[in-house]
Amino acid sequence: MDMNEHSRFTPRPGQRVAVVGGGIAGLASAWLMRETHQVTLFEAAPYVGGHTNTVDVELDGQVAAVDTGFLVFNRRTYPNLCALFDRLGIAAAASEMSFSVSLSEPDLEWSGTSLTSLFGQPRNLLRPAFWRMVTQILRFNREASALAADPAADHGALGDYLDAHGYSAAFRDWYLLPMAAAVWSCPTGTMLAYPVQTFVRFCLNHGLLQLQDRPQWLTVAGGGRRYVARMVADLADVRVASPVRRVIRGADGVRIKTGTGEERFDAVVLACHSDQALDLLGSQATGEEMAILGAVRYQPNVAYLHTDEALLPRRRRVWSAWNYAAGPGQAGQRPVSVSYLINRLQPLPFRRPVVVSLNPFRPPREERVIRRIDYAHPVFDQMAVEAQGWLSALQGRQRTWFAGAWQGYGFHEDGLRSAIEVAERLGATVPWRTPARPVAAAV
């Protein structure tokens, strides 16, 4: 039999479903299906949560939970996540999304928090290019609404749009690319290939291009692991430190191979990165699966949790929640280097700055490092965005479903939304009602 022919799977209550991946997409998929199916959650790491990675930090005799991956959300653009947290009884604390830029070439620092921080480097007052950047920020914010309002139009890549519409190098290299690369955790040059309409739609949805009426950003009180623990407690079969080695699909079921043996399930949800899903399917991956899943690339990123102030802007008045930095190097080719000042993002008891630095252009001093963590983030170029529109053709074929934040914009709400779609197709009921948001592929 052609593997494509036993494609569509009919879900029935009580079936065994394997969920591979314990990030927000996999954890939510398992949690939503826990009452209708026998669910087993496989996670390769020694903890469940994926980018929800909370670390206990002890400083000056005090201990606090510090988040290193998933940090913030808001009630406007994370409706499903907020509904889930309300259902779990998870409390939130106020956070902020202030942003700064600190460059070595040229010597430039600024923050958008206030006029004082905007001109925290007094020399900015005498820079014509800086004033041009400020006026073009206002112009781009106005134009963004018109771009996002016409989904049928194709304005190409972000870099092409900036060139065609006369935006300055200062606007591009001192503001837009640092902000975008910090949000998506990818090199500034990669952001130039991002579809401009997808970019502006996300920024508008998240209030990143507004001077007023911005959403109130929030963080999980006590650390993101609190919601993870409550969801895990509701699951009957969670296996950490259990990497899946192969997924073998047949007409009568799906076999999951791990280091301890092989088990048969009725269906599988691959809630891991798309490239990892392809590796697990191996030679059984169909041409469509290879084309769609393989269209999404990933950017490896190293994060340091540390207390080294040298990785924050040189001028303290410029310090912000998100601090983009770049050392010597050609603009547009820099890897993203952003330091999150966790004291601004979470209510911590420490006087000393606690920082998570992603790809710092110089590493923090060894004696100040608390932990090093390796992450990978999807890259949303035109191929990836187009592949999102084709994904529905794969769902349910050969007893296989795909979930993950890579199906949207790469954030927690996207991972949860993908889990909701999979769980509902497999017969589960979502215990809250939230209008569905269009994914990036609708552009």
Side-chain angles (χ1 to χ4, degrees):
M1 177 183 289
D2 186 339
M3 289 295 291
N4 285 322
E5 292 305 316
H6 58 79
S7 57
R8 295 299 176 187
F9 170 69
T10 303
R12 296 187 303 275
Q15 291 170 318
R16 294 195 73 202
V17 179
V19 178
V20 180
I24 180 62
L27 178 59
S29 296
W31 188 83
L32 290 168
M33 292 189 292
R34 71 194 188 283
E35 295 181 354
T36 53
H37 298 287
Q38 300 177 57
V39 182
T40 299
L41 178 63
F42 293 92
E43 170 54 51
Y47 71 96
V48 175
H51 283 208
T52 303
N53 188 359
T54 308
V55 176
D56 285 326
V57 173
E58 182 175 0
L59 290 175
D60 305 322
Q62 298 188 83
V63 179
V66 174
D67 286 323
T68 65
F70 165 63
L71 287 164
V72 294
F73 62 99
N74 68 70
R75 297 198 178 279
R76 182 187 303 174
T77 55
Y78 290 70
N80 289 298
L81 190 66
C82 289
L84 172 64
F85 287 173
D86 289 343
R87 187 83 181 183
L88 297 172
I90 297 298
S95 185
E96 66 172 83
M97 284 284 277
S98 55
F99 177 68
S100 78
V101 173
S102 178
L103 307 180
S104 296
E105 295 179 354
D107 176 14
L108 172 77
E109 288 193 330
W110 69 275
S111 167
T113 307
S114 65
L115 283 176
T116 300
S117 62
L118 186 66
F119 299 102
Q121 184 179 16
R123 182 181 173 188
N124 292 344
L125 286 163
L126 304 176
R127 281 183 159 130
F130 190 84
W131 286 103
R132 190 177 305 115
M133 177 197 78
V134 173
T135 60
Q136 289 185 340
I137 290 174
L138 300 175
R139 173 190 157 198
F140 186 81
N141 292 355
R142 291 193 303 268
E143 292 179 356
S145 297
L147 284 172
D150 187 3
D154 181 6
H155 293 278
L158 179 60
D160 295 335
Y161 180 86
L162 297 178
D163 290 340
H165 290 79
Y167 282 94
S168 66
F171 171 82
R172 183 191 64 218
D173 299 333
W174 298 355
Y175 165 69
L176 194 66
L177 287 183
M179 183 268 288
V183 170
W184 275 277
S185 304
C186 67
T188 53
T190 301
M191 284 309 306
L192 293 171
Y194 202 105
V196 65
Q197 284 173 287
T198 304
F199 173 80
V200 298
R201 184 166 297 158
F202 173 86
C203 290
L204 288 169
N205 285 344
H206 286 69
L208 299 180
L209 301 179
Q210 299 167 226
L211 298 179
Q212 297 177 337
D213 192 31
R214 291 184 174 182
Q216 172 62 60
W217 288 90
L218 305 167
T219 189
V220 175
R225 68 184 175 195
R226 293 186 65 242
Y227 89 77
V228 173
R230 293 195 183 180
M231 295 178 77
V232 168
D234 289 337
L235 301 179
D237 190 1
V238 177
R239 306 182 192 180
V240 296
S242 299
V244 172
R245 296 181 176 177
R246 185 67 67 198
V247 173
I248 304 171
R249 302 174 293 186
D252 61 343
V254 179
R255 287 178 289 151
I256 303 295
K257 297 187 70 172
T258 66
T260 59
E262 183 176 300
E263 290 181 69
R264 181 197 168 278
F265 293 85
D266 295 297
V268 61
V269 177
L270 294 177
C272 47
H273 290 171
S274 54
D275 58 345
Q276 295 171 332
L278 272 181
D279 287 342
L280 292 177
L281 295 175
S283 60
Q284 276 198 333
T286 66
E288 283 182 297
E289 288 169 336
M290 287 188 286
I292 295 171
L293 302 179
V296 183
R297 299 181 294 117
Y298 291 83
Q299 171 67 37
N301 293 304
V302 59
Y304 292 91
L305 174 61
H306 66 90
T307 60
D308 190 351
E309 296 182 14
L311 271 68
L312 294 171
R314 298 179 291 280
R315 296 161 180 85
R316 195 179 186 98
R317 67 175 68 92
V318 177
W319 285 10
S320 302
W322 295 37
N323 302 274
Y324 178 90
Q330 183 180 356
Q333 299 302 318
R334 304 174 179 125
V336 63
S337 178
V338 59
S339 289
Y340 306 92
L341 182 52
I342 307 299
N343 309 65
R344 296 274 184 97
L345 291 160
Q346 294 181 273
L348 300 181
F350 310 127
R351 294 180 61 87
R352 273 195 279 172
V354 177
V355 183
V356 173
S357 291
L358 202 66
N359 303 328
F361 66 89
R362 63 173 181 272
R365 286 172 285 180
E366 185 175 352
E367 67 273 15
R368 299 289 185 92
V369 175
I370 299 169
R371 185 167 299 184
R372 173 189 160 134
I373 306 165
D374 291 310
Y375 290 117
H377 296 86
V379 175
F380 294 104
D381 55 17
Q382 188 63 43
M383 285 182 57
V385 172
E386 290 177 357
Q388 292 174 347
W390 306 327
L391 180 65
S392 61
L394 300 183
Q395 298 288 34
R397 288 190 177 183
Q398 299 184 52
R399 302 171 177 264
T400 307
W401 306 83
F402 301 93
W406 59 270
Q407 297 178 18
Y409 294 111
F411 296 92
H412 244 54
E413 179 72 10
D414 302 299
L416 176 54
R417 179 176 41 75
S418 75
I420 289 171
E421 292 174 359
V422 166
E424 287 183 330
R425 291 190 182 190
L426 283 165
T429 299
V430 178
W432 63 84
R433 293 186 178 184
T434 302
R437 290 178 59 235
V439 298
V443 176

